[in-house]
Amino acid sequence: MLDQAFESLKSLNWGSDPSPLTAIDDAIAESHGNTDARKDLEQRLLAFVTGDSTEAAKDYAFRQLFLVAGPASVETLGGLLTNHRWSHMARNVLERMEGEDAVKSLRSALKITSGPLQAGIATSLGARQDDASVETLSGLVSGVDPDVGHAAVLALGAIRSQKAADALAQAKSAYPEVSEAIPDATLACAEGLLKHGHADAAAAVYKRLATSDVPKHIKLAASRGMLTSANPNKQ
């Protein structure tokens, strides 16, 4: 049944009846805790994302890799991060994968891509809260692409670390849409620091925001944050 399902996948097109693929869906669900079964499914699916498959088949294979991809997928998925058609699918799988190799692959691609691909990878690194990407992300904030700069600011805010907060304090951009995102991202970093027990560090970031030329709602939130930081046990 499983072999027949993968054979059917070869001819999958948009709008096709997906019922012949049920055996793959069932095998993935049943493979939980079965390393060998997962590896077999992973390899079969990787063959579709790299092979001469229909777009619908590739899309299906990527979506199933969300569930079974492991270390063996990193090299293949990393190689697709520069592919304009499939980068977003590859990075979405890597973003959800455990392990340092997956995030290293995203870090490497951040340095060699541009435009929408780079913006998307920045977003994934933010979702991973990857502190090691802060330096590269901060360099993108002042770049010539406002979409990439905006994504980099949001990623720094999502990382929510002291290093990210420090980078945002120095961040500058010629584009208003990028500059306007910096205070909100900085506020997110302060909230992250406070949440993880770094009340003094959070208070310093809140104070910087409260005394800066930022929108009123940011000042109010920063003022409240300063009070909370002074009494972290009362949260």
Side-chain angles (χ1 to χ4, degrees):
M1 289 288 289
L2 186 58
D3 289 341
Q4 291 176 347
F6 274 106
E7 190 64 30
S8 296
L9 182 57
K10 292 179 181 179
S11 58
L12 184 70
N13 282 299
W14 304 116
S16 297
D17 176 12
S19 59
L21 308 180
T22 300
I24 300 175
D25 300 337
D26 291 344
I28 288 173
E30 293 165 3
S31 70
H32 183 70
N34 185 331
T35 302
D36 290 340
R38 286 244 153 163
K39 286 182 177 179
D40 176 62
L41 289 162
E42 180 183 19
Q43 291 303 318
R44 287 182 186 238
L45 292 166
L46 285 172
F48 277 89
V49 303
T50 57
D52 186 19
S53 310
T54 65
E55 285 210 348
K58 287 180 183 289
D59 184 85
Y60 174 86
F62 273 115
R63 294 181 188 281
Q64 301 314 306
L65 280 168
F66 289 163
L67 304 173
V68 299
S73 294
V74 172
E75 184 175 358
T76 297
L77 294 172
L80 291 168
L81 290 173
T82 56
N83 183 299
H84 284 269
R85 177 64 183 86
W86 297 109
S87 177
H88 69 292
M89 297 295 282
R91 72 175 175 81
N92 284 341
V93 179
L94 288 165
E95 180 184 314
R96 290 163 173 77
M97 286 174 60
E98 296 181 358
E100 183 68 9
D101 287 344
V103 76
K104 280 182 178 179
S105 184
L106 290 165
R107 277 184 217 138
S108 296
L110 184 68
K111 297 176 181 179
I112 61 171
T113 49
S114 60
L117 299 190
Q118 192 173 44
I121 293 165
T123 299
S124 289
L125 286 164
R128 289 293 297 246
Q129 294 191 308
D130 182 46
D131 214 34
S133 296
V134 167
E135 184 176 352
T136 304
L137 288 168
S138 62
L140 296 176
V141 174
S142 59
V144 296
D145 188 327
D147 292 332
V148 171
H150 188 261
V153 169
L154 297 184
L156 290 168
I159 291 171
R160 298 171 71 122
S161 68
Q162 181 68 65
K163 191 174 178 181
D166 291 343
L168 288 165
Q170 302 299 319
K172 289 181 174 59
S173 173
Y175 300 100
E177 61 268 41
V178 179
S179 298
E180 289 166 6
I182 292 173
D184 280 297
T186 304
L187 186 63
C189 287
E191 291 169 350
L193 290 168
L194 184 59
K195 181 180 179 180
H196 289 95
H198 306 297
D200 290 344
V205 178
Y206 283 129
K207 183 177 180 180
R208 185 168 70 240
L209 283 171
T211 56
S212 300
D213 182 19
V214 296
K216 184 177 179 180
H217 73 280
I218 298 290
K219 283 183 177 289
L220 289 172
S223 296
R224 287 195 296 270
M226 288 174 65
L227 292 173
T228 305
S229 300
N231 298 282
N233 295 326
K234 292 185 178 181
Q235 292 186 72

